[in-house]
Amino acid sequence: MRRFIVGAAAVAVLAAGCSAGSGDATEVAQSESGEVSTTEEPTEIASVSPSETPSETPSVEAVAVETPEGPFYGTVGLACDESSGPSVKVVIERRDDVDFSAAWAHEFEYCDATTEDDVVPTSDVELAAYALSGYDDNDIDVLYQICATVDASDYYLSGAELSAGQTAEVNGMLALCPDHPFAEGYREAVEGASGADAPQEEDQFDAEVSYANCTAVREAGAAPIHRGDPGYSSKLDRDGDGIACE
């Protein structure tokens, strides 16, 4: 809109930046017991869980696979930025109770989806989040992006007046990750919103040009996109200033 996961509901992060002339990257895995180990591994990421599960992010429709930890619906790939250092690759397991804790420990300032296919809401919690989000494209990758980010300067936490669409998006995010470190701030933002609709032109974009996420925009060399330009969508413009993927 790859890497190893150890134990139930684990999330692994892999530093995307490599030292000059080196083809290896540092892999960090967090187990259920809280132990963290670091090994030198190739940049390819794989998924390992107690029972056989798909190693790749599923395409359009996810099929639940039963594991000892409950249904597994695949993964969502993200590229996240910390305050310093290289971008980090993150894989979140899609389960009935999504665990973002390992990502939150890094306090990422921004995350963008790297999953090529739409993240079609499948589990009960994803369906509930989608119903609240106000989205109409059957894709919740942006909610995963917001949930994985821990940024005190997030526009939604700035005290700015939220539009009806922004309020719906925050409600969807809170349904997906109700225990977010800044959940209280997001809830206060929603409670203080007037619910006024954003200007109609904010959601208008060229239907013949569309991008799944800001990663796709940047890869196409189209960033930033201004309101009214081909490919603009309010879904890519979280702060509502008319400039997407800044």
Side-chain angles (χ1 to χ4, degrees):
M1 64 67 52
R2 293 185 177 178
R3 137 208 67 233
F4 296 92
I5 302 176
V6 184
V11 180
V13 294
L14 175 65
C18 299
S19 58
S22 172
D24 294 339
T26 301
E27 178 186 332
V28 180
Q30 176 177 307
S31 69
E32 189 175 39
S33 64
E35 296 180 354
V36 176
S37 60
T38 304
T39 57
E40 293 295 323
E41 294 288 347
T43 55
E44 181 181 355
I45 301 169
S47 176
V48 177
S49 46
S51 62
E52 292 186 4
T53 57
S55 61
E56 297 181 357
T57 301
S59 56
V60 183
E61 292 187 6
V63 178
V65 176
E66 289 297 331
T67 72
E69 294 73 37
F72 172 79
Y73 304 95
T75 60
V76 176
L78 302 170
C80 298
D81 296 332
E82 297 180 282
S83 57
S84 61
S87 180
V88 176
K89 292 182 180 179
V90 178
V91 168
I92 305 294
E93 290 189 356
R94 298 172 63 190
R95 295 185 179 275
D96 290 331
D97 184 12
V98 188
D99 184 3
F100 291 91
S101 60
W104 291 339
H106 285 257
E107 298 186 350
F108 294 120
E109 293 185 343
Y110 178 78
C111 290
D112 197 15
T114 58
T115 303
E116 293 183 1
D117 296 310
D118 291 346
V119 180
V120 178
T122 305
S123 67
D124 288 344
V125 67
E126 288 180 343
L127 290 169
Y130 180 72
L132 291 170
S133 70
Y135 297 166
D136 60 4
D137 57 358
N138 209 30
D139 184 7
I140 55 171
D141 62 351
V142 172
L143 296 184
Y144 273 92
Q145 294 170 206
I146 301 173
C147 279
T149 303
V150 180
D151 181 12
S153 64
D154 189 331
Y155 177 78
Y156 289 157
L157 300 172
S158 67
E161 187 71 31
L162 302 187
S163 68
Q166 292 168 335
T167 300
E169 184 171 69
V170 173
N171 281 326
M173 165 261 181
L174 288 171
L176 185 64
C177 54
D179 297 324
H180 189 283
F182 293 143
E184 183 176 351
Y186 283 114
R187 292 189 179 95
E188 289 177 354
V190 169
E191 292 171 358
S194 66
D197 289 327
Q200 185 177 4
E201 67 269 19
E202 180 179 331
D203 288 321
Q204 294 179 344
F205 60 93
D206 189 334
E208 295 183 0
V209 180
S210 63
Y211 300 98
N213 49 53
C214 285
T215 295
V217 173
R218 296 186 180 98
E219 288 178 350
I225 307 177
H226 293 77
R227 183 182 294 129
D229 289 345
Y232 174 85
S233 169
S234 60
K235 189 174 178 180
L236 302 175
D237 180 14
R238 285 182 54 195
D239 61 5
D241 65 353
I243 305 176
C245 304
E246 299 174 72

